[in-house]
Amino acid sequence: MPDTAVTRRPPRLIYEVTDGGEDWALTEDKVPESRPHERRSERVFAQLDFMVERTGRDALVCRNLAVRWDESRPRIGVDPDVCLLEPAPPEGDELPSLRLWRPGHHPPLVAVEIVSPSRADKDYAQSPLKYATNGTRELWVFDPMLAGPRDKGGPYRLAIWQRNDNGDFLRVYTGDGPARSDALDAWIFAVDEGRSLRIADDEAGTSWWTTREEAAELRAERFAEKLRALGVDPDSLL
């Protein structure tokens, strides 16, 4: 008897995002960052920031930047752990906050949220809705401690949300990585036993993005190798 089974792609549930109202309002008090959370944010920031420098892109990388999109309700917003703005706003490094109703202020190209155990439910459920609403092109939700909710197949080490040509904001990846970033034309990896993020040009991870400090160390190592090849001890020059 012929095999009549048909493999079908799971259906996608798509619904209109409604404004969360006062539930999305942010207080003026900043939630203190734990040191591990700070280190993880700094590492992502440093890779993106050096990428902007070495490529000369008209972009700006920020940490904990206030992103607001409703001029009539400026308390409604989100403060991404890290975000990449391209093109860069006219204020450059003097940018106090991103107000999307102002000239030259555009939604983030990439936003990164690192899940905190104390607010994991919000990071999983509320953050994608906010970024869907404010026009962000791509969102990474990174859960290094797998602290998120266990319903609907979670928690996920890494979830990627992307905006398609129709303007819909879709979750296109969940898992341990590597995951494709269309916005950066790169790949995202959870390294150090899943506790931090690294970016590479390729899925195999043979061409890693470096921070400014890592690049300086590599140059110093290569210079030392050249000296040794000439019979010079690098330590003798110190």
Side-chain angles (χ1 to χ4, degrees), residues 56-76:
R57 290 169 68 154
D58 177 24
L60 180 69
V61 185
C62 302
R63 288 194 62 218
N64 300 314
L65 177 72
V67 179
R68 306 293 183 263
W69 55 88
D70 187 342
E71 186 174 9
S72 65
R73 294 185 297 167
R75 291 179 61 242
I76 302 296

Side-chain angles (χ1 to χ4, degrees), residues 19 21-29 66-79 99 101 126 130:
D19 192 311
E22 289 307 308
D23 287 343
W24 287 8
L26 301 179
T27 65
E28 295 300 322
D29 297 329
V67 179
R68 306 293 183 263
W69 55 88
D70 187 342
E71 186 174 9
S72 65
R73 294 185 297 167
R75 291 179 61 242
I76 302 296
V78 66
D79 302 345
R99 308 280 171 162
W101 57 87
Q126 196 177 92
K130 288 185 175 184

Side-chain angles (χ1 to χ4, degrees), residues 123-183:
D123 288 329
Y124 269 70
Q126 196 177 92
S127 289
L129 299 180
K130 288 185 175 184
Y131 289 104
T133 302
N134 68 28
T136 294
R137 178 173 167 186
E138 187 171 282
L139 168 66
W140 310 349
V141 179
F142 176 46
D143 187 0
M145 306 302 293
L146 294 177
R150 300 190 177 277
D151 61 340
K152 301 178 182 177
Y156 307 108
R157 185 83 65 187
L158 185 61
I160 307 296
W161 296 76
Q162 294 176 347
R163 194 171 304 277
N164 65 17
D165 293 339
N166 296 324
D168 299 321
F169 205 52
L170 305 177
R171 191 176 68 182
V172 297
Y173 178 85
T174 56
D176 291 330
R180 169 78 179 172
S181 168
D182 287 351

Side-chain angles (χ1 to χ4, degrees), residues 180-187 200-201 209:
R180 169 78 179 172
S181 168
D182 287 351
L184 295 180
D185 189 22
W187 291 83
D201 287 325
W209 292 19

Side-chain angles (χ1 to χ4, degrees), residues 12-13 18 30 33 47 67 77 102 105 107 113 127 135 146 148 171 176 180 205-206 217 221 234 236:
R12 293 184 301 188
L13 178 62
T18 57
K30 291 288 185 180
E33 279 188 332
Q47 292 172 80
V67 179
R102 292 180 177 173
H105 285 211
E113 290 288 358
S127 289
L146 294 177
R171 191 176 68 182
D176 291 330
R180 169 78 179 172
T206 62
E217 291 175 2
E221 290 173 4
S236 67

Side-chain angles (χ1 to χ4, degrees), residues 29-108:
D29 297 329
K30 291 288 185 180
V31 178
E33 279 188 332
S34 68
R35 181 55 187 151
H37 190 282
E38 183 182 21
R39 287 200 309 270
R40 290 164 185 140
S41 296
E42 286 176 345
R43 191 170 190 182
V44 176
F45 172 89
Q47 292 172 80
L48 293 175
D49 193 49
F50 187 53
M51 177 275 293
V52 170
E53 178 182 309
R54 61 185 170 79
T55 60
R57 290 169 68 154
D58 177 24
L60 180 69
V61 185
C62 302
R63 288 194 62 218
N64 300 314
L65 177 72
V67 179
R68 306 293 183 263
W69 55 88
D70 187 342
E71 186 174 9
S72 65
R73 294 185 297 167
R75 291 179 61 242
I76 302 296
V78 66
D79 302 345
D81 289 314
V82 182
C83 66
L84 172 65
L85 309 179
E86 189 176 35
E91 298 90 342
D93 288 331
E94 300 301 317
L95 178 72
S97 62
L98 192 68
R99 308 280 171 162
L100 297 180
W101 57 87
R102 292 180 177 173
H105 285 211
H106 303 282

